[in-house]
Structures are given as C-alpha cells and as structure tokens.
C-alpha cells in the first residue's frame, strides 16, 4: 500500500489535467487569496508550467522577454492541458503574471473560440501603509463579489472564517512537514510535492497529518538551501539531489514561503493583511529583508550551501545575492549564484565548485 508521502507525490505529479466534480478556479501567482475560493465552494488550482516543452504559442502573445515559466503557463492554457478550469484568477505578484492576465483577457475578447476561461485580476499591493491596506480591502471586496457571481455562493463571514481556519491549519502542517528536512527525513522533491499537490484543502490536511505520523526513510547528502527564482516543478530539485545534495529548504513561493505567514484571526480584514504583508519575495521585498530572511532560514535548516538559482528573464534575484552572501558568510555558510538558467535546468558545474 502507498504511504501518505507517496500519495502526496502521486497527486503532485499528476496534478493536471484537473479532475474534480465541483467548480474549479485556476490561480496564477501567490497573491490569490485561496481562502475566498474555498469559501465559495470551489477548488483553487495553482497553475504551473512544464519545462522542456515548446512555448511558441505563449511567445506569440507575450514575446520572448518574459519569464519562461509564464510562457509555459499561457501555452498550457491555450492547449487545454490543465483540464476543466471554470474561471481564472491572476494576481499581480510579478510582471509576468500581469502580462499573462492581459493576454488572456484580450484573447477571450478577440478569439472566443479558443475557450479560455473568464479571468479576474487580484491586485495586491505590499507597502506597509494604512492606505495600502485600504486599497487591498477594496480589491478583496471586489473579489468576493466576483466569486459570488461566478459560483452562486454567498460568502458569509462564517464561510470565510471556516476557510481561513482550514488554510491556516494547512500552513502549520506545511511548516511541520517541511521541517522534517532538518534531520533529512524528507527530500526537497518530496517537500515540493507536499506543498503543491492539487487537493481540496481538508483532504490535503489529512494527508499531511498522516505524513507527520509516519516514519519515512532518512536520506544522505550535502544540505542545500535554494533561493532566487521560484520552482513550480521539481526538475531543478531532482538535478541537485541526483548530484548528491538534499534540498533542505527554500525561500520561494512554491515552497516554504507559502507557509511563512498565517492569517490568524478568521476575518476578511486579517486576510487582507496576511496577503499585504506576505513575503519577503525577490520581486517585492527590500534587499536587506531578503538577505536576513534567507540567512535565518538557511541556518534553521542546517544548510551547508546556499544556491541562488536564477532563471532567464527573472531579473530581481541577482540584486539580492551580494547581501545574501554577506549575511550567510557571517554564519559560515557558502553561497553560489547560478544565473540565467533555462527553465527547469541547472548547470551543476556552477553549483558544486570545489
């Protein structure tokens, strides 16, 4: 019989096309408040690209200067690879996501025969000001109205509170499962699967609890911490772990950063502030904040090497690296920058130097 961890990995590896009986809403970017999607009775499905495939269709509408992960998502949307998506929510978490939103909206208008889902932009700003909070509250109120129209479900305070509790529980479980990497009871590939499996949140929580109650194998290898670009697939993790490393942590929004901040109070106001202050990401946080966060997280996981992996056309992470390297040096942890990598690939010769 499959173990709970094997079941999570299986759900992760076959997450698309989506097979669900109810309303399905595709989500792009980390700023989509999935709690509200759950409160509306729908399944939120975060869309990932697929490395190593032709993205010519995406380039036709977005050009070649966009992060290739975004090009892949648009290509997969056009090809129907995600299966049934009743609607699409896109957050403005980065330039690529914003450009994808405008492309999908215009393609629906100009070429309705493509069958792309109706889409809505979730515009979350991240400045630490009350005026920003007020702005984000307005955008969340708009989203509540959109979800009610899409699903026919009234998003009452009780429904929102219940959804927040479920998702906060999942964040706490994610933290605990991911922390199993401290003593190498989980690989980086397995941790990504625990974060990214496409499941209703209550079922996801049940499997995560079972993983915590299990006794997985202990792995061996050099402890690697990943920073830089995000990873919506396990290819780079597999390469690093196949070369003798174990990815013990990361600070991107498909991994540990997903669980970095809880909502806490089960209210819409608290949800607004959770997304406003969530981070720190390379595209939005200060260099000092990123460096401090990376150093703390790497020390916590006992990292022996920090790798700043940067995809082609992802311009933000290299600006962080000098400060990250200096912060890590104070803890005796070496760091290496591997820049301008193709989506899903990594030059291992640049990683394990010496």
């Amino acid at each position: 019989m499959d173990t709970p961890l094997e079941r999570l990995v299986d759900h992760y590896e076959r997450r698309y096309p989506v097979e669900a009986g109810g309303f399905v809403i595709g989500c792009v970017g980390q700023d989509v408040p999935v709690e509200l999607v759950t409160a509306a009775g729908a399944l939120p499905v975060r869309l990932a690209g697929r490395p190593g495939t032709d993205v010519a269709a995406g380039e036709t509408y977005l050009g070649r200067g966009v992060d290739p992960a975004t090009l892949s998502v648009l290509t997969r949307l056009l090809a129907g690879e995600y299966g049934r998506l009743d609607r699409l929510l896109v957050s403005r978490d980065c330039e690529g996501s914003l450009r994808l939103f405008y492309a999908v909206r215009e393609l629906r208008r100009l070429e309705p025969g493509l069958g792309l889902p109706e889409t809505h932009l979730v515009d979350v700003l991240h400045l630490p000001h009350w005026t920003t909070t007020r702005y984000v509250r307005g955008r969340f109120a708009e989203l509540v109205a959109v979800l009610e129209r899409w699903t026919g479900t009234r998003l009452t305070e009780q429904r929102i509170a219940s959804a927040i509790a479920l998702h906060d529980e999942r964040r706490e479980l994610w933290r605990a499962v991911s922390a199993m990497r401290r003593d190498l009871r989980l690989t980086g590939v397995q941790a990504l699967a625990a974060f990214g499996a496409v499941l209703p949140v209550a079922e996801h929580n049940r499997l995560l609890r079972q993983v915590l109650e299990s006794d997985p194998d202990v792995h061996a290898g050099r402890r690697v911490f990943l920073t830089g670009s995000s990873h919506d697939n396990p290819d780079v993790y597999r390469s690093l772990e196949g070369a003798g490393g174990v990815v013990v942590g990361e600070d991107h929004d498909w991994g540990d950063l997903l669980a970095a901040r809880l909502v806490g109070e089960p209210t819409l106001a608290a949800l607004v502030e959770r997304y406003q202050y969530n981070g720190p990401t390379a595209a939005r946080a200060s260099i000092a904040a990123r460096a401090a966060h990376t150093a703390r997280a790497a020390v916590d996981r006992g990292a022996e090497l920090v790798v700043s992996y940067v995809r082609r056309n992802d311009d933000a992470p290299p600006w962080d690296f000098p400060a990250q390297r200096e912060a890590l040096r104070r803890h005796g942890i070496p760091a290496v920058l591997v820049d301008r990598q193709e989506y899903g690939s990594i030059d291992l010769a640049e990683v394990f130097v010496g």
Side-chain angles (χ1 to χ4, degrees), residues 4 19 33 42 44 59 87 125 131 148 157 159 175 189 213 216 224 231 259 263 267 277 281 289 301 305 327 336:
E19 297 179 1
E59 289 179 346
R87 298 291 189 274
L125 303 183
T131 50
E148 289 179 338
E157 290 183 1
R159 291 185 70 92
R175 289 178 181 179
V189 171
E213 295 165 358
V224 176
H231 296 265
V263 179
T267 65
Y277 290 102
T281 66
R301 295 297 172 85
L305 174 68
V336 60

Side-chain angles (χ1 to χ4, degrees), residues 95-124:
E95 179 67 19
S97 296
L98 184 61
R99 290 176 66 172
L100 183 140
F101 164 75
Y102 286 124
V104 171
R105 189 178 67 173
E106 284 303 287
L107 284 169
R108 271 184 52 82
R109 184 176 68 86
L110 298 173
E111 300 186 47
L114 291 174
L116 291 171
E118 181 181 345
T119 185
H120 178 78
L121 180 68
V122 182
D123 188 10
V124 178

Side-chain angles (χ1 to χ4, degrees), residues 81-287:
E81 290 186 16
Y82 296 115
R84 179 172 61 82
L85 297 178
D86 297 297
R87 298 291 189 274
L88 179 65
L89 292 174
V90 180
S91 67
R92 199 182 75 167
D93 62 329
C94 65
E95 179 67 19
S97 296
L98 184 61
R99 290 176 66 172
L100 183 140
F101 164 75
Y102 286 124
V104 171
R105 189 178 67 173
E106 284 303 287
L107 284 169
R108 271 184 52 82
R109 184 176 68 86
L110 298 173
E111 300 186 47
L114 291 174
L116 291 171
E118 181 181 345
T119 185
H120 178 78
L121 180 68
V122 182
D123 188 10
V124 178
L125 303 183
H126 299 275
L127 295 173
H129 306 311
W130 69 267
T131 50
T132 302
T133 304
R134 184 172 65 180
Y135 177 83
V136 178
R137 282 177 183 169
R139 304 294 73 75
F140 275 38
E142 287 178 354
L143 178 57
V144 167
V146 167
L147 288 169
E148 289 179 338
R149 174 172 61 83
W150 282 354
T151 65
T153 299
R154 176 98 169 121
L155 270 69
T156 63
E157 290 183 1
Q158 182 177 357
R159 291 185 70 92
I160 292 172
S162 296
I164 288 173
L166 276 173
H167 283 272
D168 263 3
E169 179 186 8
R170 181 164 68 176
R171 292 185 184 101
E172 290 177 327
L173 289 166
W174 273 336
R175 289 178 181 179
V177 169
S178 180
M180 293 169 68
R181 291 184 281 179
R182 286 196 190 103
D183 53 9
L184 302 183
R185 291 187 298 142
L186 205 70
T187 67
V189 171
Q190 291 168 334
L192 272 190
F195 280 110
V198 174
L199 289 163
V201 61
E203 185 177 350
H204 201 164
N205 289 351
R206 179 180 60 81
L207 279 175
L208 290 169
R209 282 192 294 270
Q210 290 177 358
V211 170
L212 289 172
E213 295 165 358
S214 66
D215 187 24
D217 295 334
V218 175
H219 304 273
R222 189 177 186 184
R223 296 166 175 265
V224 176
F225 186 94
L226 269 180
T227 185
S229 298
S230 63
H231 296 265
D232 62 3
N233 67 85
D235 291 21
V236 170
Y237 281 57
R238 283 201 182 106
S239 294
L240 289 167
E241 294 181 338
V246 179
V247 179
V248 294
E250 63 280 309
D251 58 9
H252 63 76
D253 61 18
W254 284 83
D256 282 327
L257 208 56
L258 272 178
R261 186 181 181 93
L262 302 179
V263 179
E265 184 181 349
T267 65
L268 187 59
L271 187 67
V272 166
E273 294 197 11
R274 187 267 170 192
Y275 283 89
Q276 177 187 350
Y277 290 102
N278 192 39
T281 66
R284 299 185 312 241
S286 71
I287 290 173

